[in-house]
Amino acid sequence: MYIKTELNNLCILMQKAHKHVGGMNYAMKYDPGAGFADELHKLTAELETVALQARNLDEACYTDGGIITQQPYNKHWDAGINGSVEVDENGWLHITLNTLLPHCKYQTSPYLKDTIIRLLSNYQLNGGALPFYSAAMLVIDEHCNIDSRQVFDQDNKGWKAIPNALKGLVIADDDQFSLGVSLISTWDREKSCHIHVMNIEDAGAFFSLRTGDYGLLSR
């Protein structure tokens, strides 16, 4: 009964998404600017919701040898599709996303938050130990070029989903005295987003390594 109900919910959500596709076709003729952009944003939001619902259903029950069984969160989710997690020799957390940050016209992306939480959970399920920082520095480094970038202005990027995902798992809180944030970009032909988290005291060492100025590390 649970599966049937969830499938019905997915069908309803996909029907809503399909209506926005029709709205985009209409806007192309009569309102190709703001109207089209508004319908596209609504379509993206609906599709994100569909993906989240499908993920949750996939994790709750799936067929294993013909038997529907309850499975632990993230048991068989393929994290490699979305990115990877590692903790380097300095004890810094490094999350790689195989995409750039989404636009945050109205709200932060629940899909991005869910993806990061699943990546971290998958890392733990595979024996990895996540560091925990009482005062942390968060560095978000987008790799792209002029042709491949998606959102031009930093204040329009949905980066706030990242500290929301990290809170409680890696960082104690995301208030101004517990978390520093830096948004930077690296010129690259391949699109990706690299998320680095470290103790706030290590921020100077991190940027020294990034710029190649190792003098700070020897002091």
Side-chain angles (χ1 to χ4, degrees):
M1 194 64 170
Y2 165 79
I3 296 176
K4 185 176 181 180
T5 301
E6 290 302 306
L7 286 176
N8 288 336
N9 290 337
L10 284 173
C11 288
I12 293 171
L13 289 170
M14 288 188 285
Q15 287 170 0
K16 289 182 179 179
H18 187 263
K19 287 183 180 179
H20 292 304
V21 174
M24 290 167 60
N25 285 326
Y26 179 85
M28 280 291 290
K29 295 180 180 179
Y30 302 104
D31 191 7
F36 181 84
D38 184 60
E39 288 295 334
L40 179 58
H41 176 79
K42 291 177 180 177
L43 171 64
T44 303
E46 292 291 353
L47 291 177
E48 284 192 358
T49 304
V50 169
L52 287 175
Q53 294 277 8
R55 274 182 174 181
N56 293 335
L57 179 60
D58 183 43
E59 294 301 334
C61 343
Y62 75 102
T63 304
D64 185 7
I67 302 173
I68 300 295
T69 57
Q70 294 294 325
Q71 295 295 335
Y73 180 73
N74 251 350
K75 174 95 174 167
H76 64 291
W77 182 66
D78 186 1
I81 295 175
N82 297 282
S84 61
V85 174
E86 65 175 347
V87 178
D88 67 17
E89 63 274 11
N90 298 306
W92 302 343
L93 177 66
H94 178 205
I95 304 170
T96 302
L97 300 176
N98 300 330
T99 186
L100 300 177
L101 295 174
H103 201 288
C104 64
K105 185 176 181 180
Y106 299 113
Q107 61 182 10
T108 57
S109 169
Y111 185 83
L112 176 58
K113 178 181 177 181
D114 185 76
T115 294
I116 294 172
I117 291 174
R118 288 173 180 272
L119 284 171
L120 295 173
S121 298
N122 187 73
Y123 180 76
Q124 290 179 307
L125 285 172
N126 284 282
L130 291 175
F132 191 84
Y133 311 102
S134 56
M137 182 69 191
L138 168 63
V139 180
I140 303 169
D141 183 8
E142 283 195 303
H143 287 225
C144 61
N145 56 29
I146 296 296
D147 293 330
S148 64
R149 65 180 182 172
Q150 297 171 184
V151 184
F152 299 164
D153 298 336
Q154 300 285 45
D155 60 332
N156 290 331
K157 296 177 180 179
W159 62 268
K160 292 181 181 179
I162 298 174
N164 288 339
L166 297 176
K167 186 161 57 175
L169 284 173
V170 176
I171 59 176
D173 203 349
D174 57 355
D175 69 89
Q176 66 187 95
F177 298 112
S178 300
L179 183 68
V181 180
S182 175
L183 272 66
I184 56 179
S185 299
T186 298
W187 191 277
D188 200 329
R189 287 181 295 179
E190 299 293 328
K191 294 191 299 183
S192 61
C193 182
H194 295 262
I195 301 166
H196 304 272
V197 191
M198 66 212 72
N199 278 316
I200 192 68
E201 294 86 358
D202 292 338
F206 173 86
F207 285 107
S208 290
L209 287 171
R210 187 177 189 276
T211 60
D213 180 12
Y214 304 116
L216 179 63
L217 300 179
S218 61
R219 293 176 187 173

Tab-separated table of all heavy atoms in Angstrom, residues 48 52 55 73-74 77 95 97 101-102 108-121 158-169 174 195:
chain	number	residue	atom	x	y	z
A	48	GLU	N	12.860	18.610	-9.165
A	48	GLU	CA	13.659	18.349	-7.973
A	48	GLU	C	12.834	17.571	-6.941
A	48	GLU	O	13.343	16.644	-6.301
A	48	GLU	CB	14.168	19.658	-7.361
A	48	GLU	CG	15.320	20.281	-8.115
A	48	GLU	CD	15.969	21.403	-7.330
A	48	GLU	OE1	15.488	21.710	-6.214
A	48	GLU	OE2	16.964	21.964	-7.818
A	52	LEU	N	13.580	13.842	-5.432
A	52	LEU	CA	13.679	13.571	-3.998
A	52	LEU	C	12.717	12.476	-3.572
A	52	LEU	O	13.073	11.569	-2.803
A	52	LEU	CB	13.407	14.848	-3.201
A	52	LEU	CG	14.500	15.918	-3.227
A	52	LEU	CD1	14.031	17.160	-2.493
A	52	LEU	CD2	15.775	15.396	-2.589
A	55	ARG	N	14.004	9.184	-4.823
A	55	ARG	CA	15.146	8.760	-4.008
A	55	ARG	C	14.666	8.113	-2.711
A	55	ARG	O	15.134	7.050	-2.311
A	55	ARG	CB	16.023	9.964	-3.655
A	55	ARG	CG	17.073	10.334	-4.679
A	55	ARG	CD	17.874	11.502	-4.155
A	55	ARG	NE	18.987	11.823	-5.018
A	55	ARG	CZ	19.851	12.797	-4.776
A	55	ARG	NH1	19.705	13.547	-3.694
A	55	ARG	NH2	20.855	13.033	-5.597
A	73	TYR	N	19.129	3.678	5.129
A	73	TYR	CA	19.305	4.883	4.312
A	73	TYR	C	20.613	4.795	3.537
A	73	TYR	O	21.652	4.460	4.082
A	73	TYR	CB	19.323	6.085	5.253
A	73	TYR	CG	19.502	7.413	4.594
A	73	TYR	CD1	18.465	7.987	3.874
A	73	TYR	CD2	20.703	8.105	4.706
A	73	TYR	CE1	18.609	9.223	3.282
A	73	TYR	CE2	20.857	9.338	4.118
A	73	TYR	CZ	19.804	9.901	3.407
A	73	TYR	OH	19.972	11.132	2.831
A	74	ASN	N	20.549	5.065	2.240
A	74	ASN	CA	21.740	5.115	1.391
A	74	ASN	C	22.364	3.769	1.091
A	74	ASN	O	23.477	3.703	0.603
A	74	ASN	CB	22.826	5.987	2.041
A	74	ASN	CG	23.000	7.294	1.306
A	74	ASN	OD1	22.460	7.481	0.221
A	74	ASN	ND2	23.743	8.190	1.873
A	77	TRP	N	22.479	3.486	-2.937
A	77	TRP	CA	22.499	4.680	-3.764
A	77	TRP	C	23.873	4.871	-4.380
A	77	TRP	O	24.897	4.782	-3.705
A	77	TRP	CB	22.112	5.876	-2.899
A	77	TRP	CG	22.050	7.180	-3.636
A	77	TRP	CD1	21.185	7.522	-4.613
A	77	TRP	CD2	22.896	8.314	-3.423
A	77	TRP	NE1	21.419	8.809	-5.033
A	77	TRP	CE2	22.455	9.309	-4.324
A	77	TRP	CE3	23.957	8.586	-2.566
A	77	TRP	CZ2	23.065	10.565	-4.383
A	77	TRP	CZ3	24.551	9.827	-2.635
A	77	TRP	CH2	24.101	10.796	-3.532
A	95	ILE	N	34.467	17.727	-0.466
A	95	ILE	CA	33.323	17.167	-1.185
A	95	ILE	C	33.376	17.667	-2.623
A	95	ILE	O	33.490	18.876	-2.861
A	95	ILE	CB	31.984	17.602	-0.545
A	95	ILE	CG1	31.942	17.226	0.938
A	95	ILE	CG2	30.802	16.994	-1.298
A	95	ILE	CD1	30.752	17.833	1.678
A	97	LEU	N	31.284	17.848	-6.146
A	97	LEU	CA	30.009	17.690	-6.827
A	97	LEU	C	30.252	17.726	-8.328
A	97	LEU	O	31.000	18.575	-8.815
A	97	LEU	CB	29.036	18.815	-6.447
A	97	LEU	CG	28.667	18.957	-4.965
A	97	LEU	CD1	27.773	20.176	-4.775
A	97	LEU	CD2	27.984	17.701	-4.454
A	101	LEU	N	26.803	25.041	-8.880
A	101	LEU	CA	25.733	25.441	-7.967
A	101	LEU	C	24.505	25.887	-8.751
A	101	LEU	O	24.629	26.555	-9.779
A	101	LEU	CB	26.215	26.591	-7.068
A	101	LEU	CG	27.344	26.268	-6.091
A	101	LEU	CD1	27.782	27.556	-5.390
A	101	LEU	CD2	26.892	25.237	-5.067
A	102	PRO	N	23.317	25.544	-8.264
A	102	PRO	CA	22.091	25.978	-8.939
A	102	PRO	C	21.768	27.432	-8.633
A	102	PRO	O	22.339	28.030	-7.718
A	102	PRO	CB	21.031	25.043	-8.345
A	102	PRO	CG	21.539	24.783	-6.959
A	102	PRO	CD	23.045	24.722	-7.077
A	108	THR	N	16.698	28.062	-1.480
A	108	THR	CA	17.826	27.168	-1.674
A	108	THR	C	17.333	25.827	-2.218
A	108	THR	O	16.180	25.454	-2.026
A	108	THR	CB	18.582	26.945	-0.353
A	108	THR	OG1	17.671	26.431	0.625
A	108	THR	CG2	19.191	28.242	0.146
A	109	SER	N	18.221	25.106	-2.873
A	109	SER	CA	17.840	23.863	-3.533
A	109	SER	C	17.751	22.700	-2.553
A	109	SER	O	18.765	22.301	-1.965
A	109	SER	CB	18.873	23.523	-4.618
A	109	SER	OG	18.678	22.219	-5.099
A	110	PRO	N	16.558	22.123	-2.351
A	110	PRO	CA	16.461	20.937	-1.482
A	110	PRO	C	17.185	19.744	-2.103
A	110	PRO	O	17.671	18.876	-1.378
A	110	PRO	CB	14.951	20.703	-1.382
A	110	PRO	CG	14.368	21.338	-2.596
A	110	PRO	CD	15.243	22.519	-2.887
A	111	TYR	N	17.263	19.705	-3.434
A	111	TYR	CA	17.947	18.599	-4.095
A	111	TYR	C	19.445	18.628	-3.791
A	111	TYR	O	20.060	17.601	-3.527
A	111	TYR	CB	17.717	18.672	-5.605
A	111	TYR	CG	18.298	17.501	-6.367
A	111	TYR	CD1	17.588	16.307	-6.477
A	111	TYR	CD2	19.542	17.581	-6.973
A	111	TYR	CE1	18.118	15.232	-7.165
A	111	TYR	CE2	20.077	16.513	-7.657
A	111	TYR	CZ	19.355	15.341	-7.759
A	111	TYR	OH	19.898	14.280	-8.435
A	112	LEU	N	20.041	19.827	-3.803
A	112	LEU	CA	21.468	19.961	-3.495
A	112	LEU	C	21.744	19.564	-2.051
A	112	LEU	O	22.704	18.828	-1.764
A	112	LEU	CB	21.925	21.398	-3.744
A	112	LEU	CG	23.372	21.723	-3.375
A	112	LEU	CD1	24.347	20.834	-4.128
A	112	LEU	CD2	23.670	23.194	-3.644
A	113	LYS	N	20.900	20.040	-1.129
A	113	LYS	CA	21.069	19.669	0.290
A	113	LYS	C	20.980	18.162	0.473
A	113	LYS	O	21.810	17.552	1.153
A	113	LYS	CB	20.014	20.382	1.136
A	113	LYS	CG	20.083	20.020	2.618
A	113	LYS	CD	18.992	20.734	3.409
A	113	LYS	CE	19.021	20.303	4.872
A	113	LYS	NZ	17.948	20.978	5.655
A	114	ASP	N	19.988	17.542	-0.143
A	114	ASP	CA	19.795	16.097	-0.024
A	114	ASP	C	20.982	15.339	-0.615
A	114	ASP	O	21.437	14.338	-0.057
A	114	ASP	CB	18.505	15.698	-0.734
A	114	ASP	CG	18.176	14.228	-0.560
A	114	ASP	OD1	17.717	13.847	0.532
A	114	ASP	OD2	18.399	13.447	-1.515
A	115	THR	N	21.502	15.823	-1.744
A	115	THR	CA	22.644	15.165	-2.386
A	115	THR	C	23.866	15.165	-1.469
A	115	THR	O	24.552	14.145	-1.310
A	115	THR	CB	22.988	15.863	-3.713
A	115	THR	OG1	21.909	15.677	-4.637
A	115	THR	CG2	24.261	15.287	-4.324
A	116	ILE	N	24.151	16.310	-0.837
A	116	ILE	CA	25.314	16.405	0.043
A	116	ILE	C	25.153	15.505	1.261
A	116	ILE	O	26.091	14.802	1.664
A	116	ILE	CB	25.546	17.872	0.466
A	116	ILE	CG1	25.948	18.704	-0.755
A	116	ILE	CG2	26.619	17.966	1.549
A	116	ILE	CD1	26.016	20.185	-0.483
A	117	ILE	N	23.955	15.499	1.848
A	117	ILE	CA	23.714	14.634	3.007
A	117	ILE	C	23.916	13.167	2.628
A	117	ILE	O	24.508	12.388	3.379
A	117	ILE	CB	22.296	14.867	3.565
A	117	ILE	CG1	22.203	16.251	4.206
A	117	ILE	CG2	21.930	13.788	4.586
A	117	ILE	CD1	20.810	16.627	4.655
A	118	ARG	N	23.444	12.785	1.454
A	118	ARG	CA	23.598	11.397	1.004
A	118	ARG	C	25.052	11.053	0.718
A	118	ARG	O	25.510	9.945	1.008
A	118	ARG	CB	22.727	11.148	-0.230
A	118	ARG	CG	21.235	11.085	0.082
A	118	ARG	CD	20.393	11.005	-1.179
A	118	ARG	NE	18.974	10.946	-0.855
A	118	ARG	CZ	18.303	9.822	-0.615
A	118	ARG	NH1	18.928	8.659	-0.667
A	118	ARG	NH2	17.020	9.856	-0.334
A	119	LEU	N	25.796	11.989	0.152
A	119	LEU	CA	27.224	11.752	-0.080
A	119	LEU	C	27.958	11.517	1.244
A	119	LEU	O	28.787	10.601	1.359
A	119	LEU	CB	27.843	12.943	-0.814
A	119	LEU	CG	27.541	13.073	-2.304
A	119	LEU	CD1	28.041	14.420	-2.829
A	119	LEU	CD2	28.168	11.934	-3.095
A	120	LEU	N	27.653	12.343	2.241
A	120	LEU	CA	28.296	12.192	3.547
A	120	LEU	C	27.874	10.892	4.225
A	120	LEU	O	28.704	10.192	4.827
A	120	LEU	CB	27.955	13.393	4.437
A	120	LEU	CG	28.494	14.746	3.964
A	120	LEU	CD1	27.944	15.865	4.840
A	120	LEU	CD2	30.014	14.761	3.979
A	121	SER	N	26.601	10.549	4.128
A	121	SER	CA	26.115	9.306	4.728
A	121	SER	C	26.737	8.098	4.043
A	121	SER	O	27.103	7.119	4.699
A	121	SER	CB	24.582	9.242	4.629
A	121	SER	OG	23.978	10.289	5.339
A	158	GLY	N	22.955	29.111	-5.250
A	158	GLY	CA	22.301	28.437	-4.128
A	158	GLY	C	23.263	27.780	-3.158
A	158	GLY	O	23.061	26.629	-2.761
A	159	TRP	N	24.286	28.518	-2.730
A	159	TRP	CA	25.305	27.938	-1.863
A	159	TRP	C	24.806	27.712	-0.434
A	159	TRP	O	25.381	26.922	0.317
A	159	TRP	CB	26.541	28.838	-1.835
A	159	TRP	CG	26.310	30.219	-1.283
A	159	TRP	CD1	25.978	31.337	-1.994
A	159	TRP	CD2	26.375	30.621	0.085
A	159	TRP	NE1	25.826	32.414	-1.152
A	159	TRP	CE2	26.066	32.001	0.130
A	159	TRP	CE3	26.662	29.958	1.281
A	159	TRP	CZ2	26.038	32.718	1.323
A	159	TRP	CZ3	26.632	30.666	2.470
A	159	TRP	CH2	26.322	32.035	2.479
A	160	LYS	N	23.717	28.398	-0.030
A	160	LYS	CA	23.247	28.274	1.362
A	160	LYS	C	22.748	26.876	1.692
A	160	LYS	O	22.659	26.505	2.865
A	160	LYS	CB	22.149	29.301	1.627
A	160	LYS	CG	22.654	30.738	1.613
A	160	LYS	CD	21.543	31.725	1.901
A	160	LYS	CE	22.054	33.156	1.848
A	160	LYS	NZ	20.965	34.144	2.102
A	161	ALA	N	22.443	26.080	0.652
A	161	ALA	CA	22.051	24.691	0.906
A	161	ALA	C	23.209	23.885	1.485
A	161	ALA	O	22.982	22.881	2.166
A	161	ALA	CB	21.563	24.047	-0.395
A	162	ILE	N	24.435	24.323	1.223
A	162	ILE	CA	25.611	23.555	1.665
A	162	ILE	C	25.790	23.598	3.178
A	162	ILE	O	25.870	22.543	3.820
A	162	ILE	CB	26.866	24.039	0.916
A	162	ILE	CG1	26.699	23.784	-0.588
A	162	ILE	CG2	28.117	23.337	1.444
A	162	ILE	CD1	27.803	24.352	-1.446
A	163	PRO	N	25.882	24.782	3.823
A	163	PRO	CA	25.975	24.769	5.292
A	163	PRO	C	24.766	24.144	5.957
A	163	PRO	O	24.886	23.535	7.029
A	163	PRO	CB	26.126	26.258	5.649
A	163	PRO	CG	25.672	27.012	4.456
A	163	PRO	CD	25.995	26.152	3.285
A	164	ASN	N	23.583	24.266	5.339
A	164	ASN	CA	22.400	23.614	5.904
A	164	ASN	C	22.565	22.102	5.930
A	164	ASN	O	22.110	21.422	6.854
A	164	ASN	CB	21.162	23.981	5.089
A	164	ASN	CG	20.722	25.417	5.310
A	164	ASN	OD1	21.062	26.033	6.313
A	164	ASN	ND2	19.972	25.960	4.360
A	165	ALA	N	23.224	21.550	4.904
A	165	ALA	CA	23.460	20.107	4.847
A	165	ALA	C	24.553	19.679	5.822
A	165	ALA	O	24.504	18.577	6.387
A	165	ALA	CB	23.840	19.696	3.427
A	166	LEU	N	25.540	20.540	6.024
A	166	LEU	CA	26.683	20.198	6.872
A	166	LEU	C	26.372	20.300	8.361
A	166	LEU	O	26.983	19.605	9.184
A	166	LEU	CB	27.864	21.125	6.552
A	166	LEU	CG	28.445	21.058	5.142
A	166	LEU	CD1	29.529	22.123	4.977
A	166	LEU	CD2	29.011	19.676	4.848
A	167	LYS	N	25.404	21.155	8.705
A	167	LYS	CA	25.119	21.427	10.121
A	167	LYS	C	24.662	20.168	10.848
A	167	LYS	O	23.752	19.477	10.415
A	167	LYS	CB	24.048	22.522	10.226
A	167	LYS	CG	23.790	22.983	11.647
A	167	LYS	CD	23.112	24.344	11.701
A	167	LYS	CE	21.812	24.382	10.949
A	167	LYS	NZ	21.113	25.693	11.136
A	168	GLY	N	25.332	19.879	11.947
A	168	GLY	CA	25.011	18.695	12.736
A	168	GLY	C	25.817	17.479	12.340
A	168	GLY	O	26.052	16.588	13.158
A	169	LEU	N	26.259	17.419	11.086
A	169	LEU	CA	27.078	16.300	10.609
A	169	LEU	C	28.560	16.618	10.658
A	169	LEU	O	29.377	15.792	11.052
A	169	LEU	CB	26.697	15.938	9.170
A	169	LEU	CG	25.405	15.171	8.952
A	169	LEU	CD1	25.102	15.060	7.457
A	169	LEU	CD2	25.509	13.772	9.562
A	174	ASP	N	25.940	27.189	11.882
A	174	ASP	CA	26.338	28.031	10.765
A	174	ASP	C	26.125	29.508	11.063
A	174	ASP	O	25.942	30.313	10.155
A	174	ASP	CB	25.595	27.628	9.478
A	174	ASP	CG	24.083	27.688	9.628
A	174	ASP	OD1	23.607	27.951	10.750
A	174	ASP	OD2	23.390	27.482	8.623
A	195	ILE	N	33.892	21.540	-2.479
A	195	ILE	CA	33.524	22.082	-1.174
A	195	ILE	C	34.580	21.645	-0.162
A	195	ILE	O	34.804	20.449	0.038
A	195	ILE	CB	32.136	21.572	-0.752
A	195	ILE	CG1	31.089	21.977	-1.799
A	195	ILE	CG2	31.771	22.104	0.626
A	195	ILE	CD1	29.771	21.243	-1.639
